[in-house]
Amino acid sequence: MFKSKFRPSHELARHSDLDPLTGLLSRDQFFSAADDYDRLHPEEGVDAIVLNYNKFHLINELYGRNFGDRVLCAIADCVQKAANEHEGIACRYDADIFYMYIRHQESYSFLTDQVCDVLQSLMNTPDIRIRIGIYPDLKRVATIRQRFDRAIQACNSASKNKHSATYAIYDDNMHRKELYEAMLLDSINDALNENQFKLVFQPKYDIQCDKPTMSSAEVLIRWDHPEFGEVKPDFFIPLFEQNGLIRQLDRYVWHEAAKQMHKWRQTYGVNIPFSVNVSRIDIFDNDLIDYLKKTVSEYHIDPKDLHLEITETAYTENVEQIVKVVKELQDAGFKVEMDDFGKGYSSFNMLTTLPLNALKLDIGFIKGIAENNKEMNLLECILEIAKLLNLTVIAEGVENSKQYLLLKNAGCDAIQGYYFSKPLSTKDFESLLKYSC
C-alpha cells in the first residue's frame, strides 16, 4: 500500500521519538520518510500541507494549558486520520503547527470540514480559526523543505479573519510574491547604505488647550526602491520583522531621527519631541539601551525627547522581560508609549503592571465613535482609567472634526491623523516648523 512507503526506516525509528503530546511523527522522522518516498517514487504526485491554529495562545490564556493540549490532540487526530485515508504521513512540526504529506488531492474541503466538526464539538464554539496551506509540486521542481516553505506561505495567505477553517493553495501569484520578497530582503543593506529609506513626520497635536498646538511628531519610514519604486511600509516592515532584519531598519530610523531633531533645534531653536517605533525584536537586544543612550548623546538630545513606541502585542509575549527593559529605558530618561492600544487582547490586564508614560489608542477605537454610542462609552472608560494611572492618551487616525471634538470633550490629551496633517516629508515638516516659529 502507498502509506506503507511513508513509514520511517527501523534505523531512524530507533533514534527518534514520536511527539510526546500527540503521538505523531517527530519532524526528523517526518522529513526522512518524505525524502525516502520522493527518492523511491519520483513520479508520484504528493502535496505538502501546513495546518496552523491562528492565535492559539489565546486558548491557553483563556481556558488553561490542559484544555489547549486537548485541542492540539484533537487536531492531531484529524490530520492523522486524513493522512491515513489519503495514504500519507503527518507530524506536529511545532507548537500549533502541523505538517502533512499526502497523495495529491484536487480539493481539501474534506480536511477543513473534518477539523471544524471535531473542534466545534470539543470547544462548543464556531470560532475555530484554522488556516491550511497547500503546495502541490506534481513535477518535483522544489526540494521537500522548499515545498513546505511554500505551503507555509500559502497558509499565511489564508484569511486570518475567518472564524472557521480555511485553506489556500500556493500558486503563481504567491511564487512571484516570494521572489519579490527575496529581492527586497537581499537589497536591504544597499538600501540603508544608499539612503533609499526616507523619514516622514506625522505631527501630534495637544488638544487640551485653547488652540490645538503641535507638541511632537511620530517618525515613519518610506522606501523609494530604485527598481520597484515606492514599497509600502505595511509590506516591507512585516517582511523585515519575519526575517529578523527589522533591527537594522529601526536603528537607522532612530539615528536619522535624532540627527534631524538636532538639526532643526540648531536651525530654528525649537525642540519638537519625536516618537519612534521599537519592535519586539529590539526589546531582546542586549545593547538596546546602550545604543539608544549613545544615539541621543551623539546629538546632544535629552532622552525624554525621544519617545519609544512599543506595540501592544509585544507586551504579551514575555511580560517579565518587557517590564524589565521598559523600566531600564525609563530609568535612562526615555518616555515609553504603548502603541496600538486596544488592538490586542490583554490591554486592561497589563495597564496596572506595565511601566508606561502614554497610551496610543488604536485607530479601531476612533473609527466608530459617536455621541453616547458603545464605542464612545468604552473610549471614555479608557480615558478615565488612563487619568487614574497618570498616563497621557494619544489618539491616532483622527480624520474629521466630529472625532476631534468628541475626543477633546472626553479628555483625550493629543491626536494625530489626517484631520490635522498627513505624514510629511522632511521638507514639508520643516516648512511647518518655520510657520510654527
Side-chain angles (χ1 to χ4, degrees):
M1 292 178 63
F2 181 82
K3 60 185 174 184
S4 66
K5 299 168 185 173
F6 276 103
R7 292 173 185 161
S9 68
H10 293 301
E11 183 65 24
L12 177 66
R14 284 201 298 269
H15 291 86
S16 302
D17 295 325
L18 299 177
D19 176 61
L21 176 65
T22 65
L24 296 178
L25 295 178
S26 69
R27 67 174 68 175
D28 288 340
Q29 285 179 318
F30 179 86
F31 281 112
S32 177
D35 284 336
D36 285 346
Y37 183 82
D38 279 358
R39 186 174 61 255
L40 296 172
H41 307 277
E43 302 302 322
E44 190 73 59
V46 185
D47 295 341
I49 304 163
V50 172
L51 183 149
N52 164 241
Y53 196 114
N54 189 38
K55 299 187 184 300
F56 181 79
H57 68 278
L58 294 177
I59 293 179
N60 285 333
E61 291 177 12
L62 293 171
Y63 305 109
R65 187 166 296 277
N66 287 339
F67 184 78
D69 287 347
R70 288 176 59 197
V71 172
L72 292 175
C73 288
I75 296 173
D77 289 343
C78 288
V79 298
Q80 185 61 68
K81 179 181 178 183
N84 291 340
E85 290 174 349
H86 298 278
E87 303 178 327
I89 53 173
C91 81
R92 181 188 178 210
Y93 184 79
D94 182 43
D96 58 347
I97 300 173
F98 296 82
Y99 281 13
M100 300 172 64
Y101 197 50
I102 67 175
R103 182 173 280 177
H104 174 66
Q105 306 295 315
E106 292 299 327
S107 170
Y108 280 86
S109 58
F110 72 89
L111 183 56
T112 57
D113 291 346
Q114 187 172 318
V115 172
C116 275
D117 288 346
V118 170
L119 293 188
Q120 285 174 357
S121 175
L122 174 64
M123 301 173 65
N124 195 29
T125 175
D127 188 4
I128 299 302
R129 298 178 183 268
I130 288 287
R131 295 184 296 162
I132 300 170
I134 299 109
Y135 178 67
D137 190 358
L138 304 185
K139 296 181 180 180
R140 303 292 176 84
V141 297
T143 68
I144 188 70
R145 298 284 180 170
Q146 288 172 331
R147 288 179 232 169
F148 276 96
D149 286 343
R150 292 172 182 178
I152 290 171
Q153 188 174 339
C155 181
N156 290 338
S157 76
S159 174
K160 295 182 179 181
N161 297 321
K162 287 189 177 181
H163 294 219
S164 61
T166 183
Y167 71 89
I169 298 175
Y170 187 92
D171 57 19
D172 289 342
N173 288 333
M174 291 185 194
H175 185 58
R176 285 191 289 270
K177 180 174 180 282
E178 181 182 26
L179 293 177
Y180 177 59
E181 290 177 347
M183 288 187 282
L184 291 181
L185 292 170
D186 191 53
S187 63
I188 183 174
N189 289 328
D190 288 341
L192 291 169
N193 293 332
E194 297 169 7
N195 294 315
Q196 296 172 18
F197 293 105
K198 306 296 182 185
L199 302 190
V200 295
F201 306 83
Q202 186 165 37
K204 300 179 185 179
Y205 283 81
D206 181 354
I207 59 173
Q208 292 303 319
C209 46
D210 292 338
K211 181 181 178 182
T213 305
M214 184 172 69
S215 54
S216 63
E218 180 177 6
V219 180
L220 303 168
I221 190 77
R222 300 291 183 263
W223 189 359
D224 185 12
H225 195 284
E227 181 179 353
F228 304 123
E230 182 183 355
V231 184
K232 298 294 185 182
D234 56 359
F235 183 86
F236 70 79
I237 290 176
L239 178 65
F240 289 165
E241 286 178 336
Q242 292 162 11
N243 290 274
L245 298 176
I246 195 66
R247 176 180 180 272
Q248 295 168 250
L249 183 62
D250 283 345
R251 294 192 174 206
Y252 174 85
V253 171
W254 303 340
H255 184 271
E256 293 300 304
K259 182 168 71 173
Q260 192 64 66
M261 189 190 303
H262 173 74
K263 177 183 176 182
W264 281 330
R265 186 178 61 193
Q266 293 295 100
T267 303
Y268 302 109
V270 295
N271 202 56
I272 298 294
F274 289 159
S275 59
V276 295
N277 287 297
V278 177
S279 74
R280 50 191 167 190
I281 292 175
D282 298 322
I283 293 293
F284 297 97
D285 269 352
N286 292 329
D287 65 338
L288 168 66
I289 297 170
D290 288 339
Y291 184 87
L292 285 167
K293 289 168 67 175
K294 178 183 176 183
T295 300
V296 295
S297 175
E298 179 180 354
Y299 292 102
H300 310 289
I301 292 169
D302 191 323
K304 70 179 176 59
D305 290 330
L306 190 66
H307 301 176
L308 307 176
E309 294 190 7
I310 304 175
T311 183
E312 180 200 353
T313 54
Y315 285 95
T316 64
E317 297 197 351
N318 187 334
V319 175
E320 291 184 3
Q321 174 70 7
I322 296 290
V323 169
K324 175 179 177 293
V325 172
V326 170
K327 283 182 177 177
E328 291 174 355
L329 288 168
Q330 289 179 323
D331 289 343
F334 296 97
K335 290 188 175 181
V336 178
E337 302 175 358
M338 180 189 282
D339 194 15
D340 296 332
F341 178 80
K343 191 174 184 178
Y345 296 87
S346 304
S347 306
F348 291 103
N349 293 335
M350 294 188 295
L351 285 183
T352 56
T353 57
L354 295 176
L356 294 169
N357 300 102
L359 297 179
K360 283 193 72 176
L361 300 178
D362 182 66
I363 191 172
F365 266 125
I366 309 305
K367 277 187 175 181
I369 60 173
E371 192 168 359
N372 295 323
N373 71 353
K374 290 187 296 184
E375 289 83 354
M376 193 66 210
N377 292 336
L378 178 58
L379 178 62
E380 290 171 340
C381 176
I382 292 169
L383 290 168
E384 187 64 29
I385 293 171
K387 183 178 179 181
L388 291 172
L389 297 174
N390 198 30
L391 297 174
T392 299
V393 178
I394 305 151
E396 57 183 339
V398 179
E399 297 180 348
N400 55 59
S401 59
K402 180 181 177 182
Q403 293 171 336
Y404 159 65
L405 290 172
L406 285 169
L407 289 161
K408 177 179 174 66
N409 294 334
C412 184
D413 298 291
I415 66 173
Q416 70 181 86
Y418 277 42
Y419 176 67
F420 280 122
S421 175
K422 66 179 182 180
L424 302 172
S425 67
T426 301
K427 179 180 178 181
D428 289 340
F429 191 81
E430 186 167 9
S431 297
L432 183 62
L433 277 181
K434 290 180 184 177
Y435 176 78
S436 300
C437 293

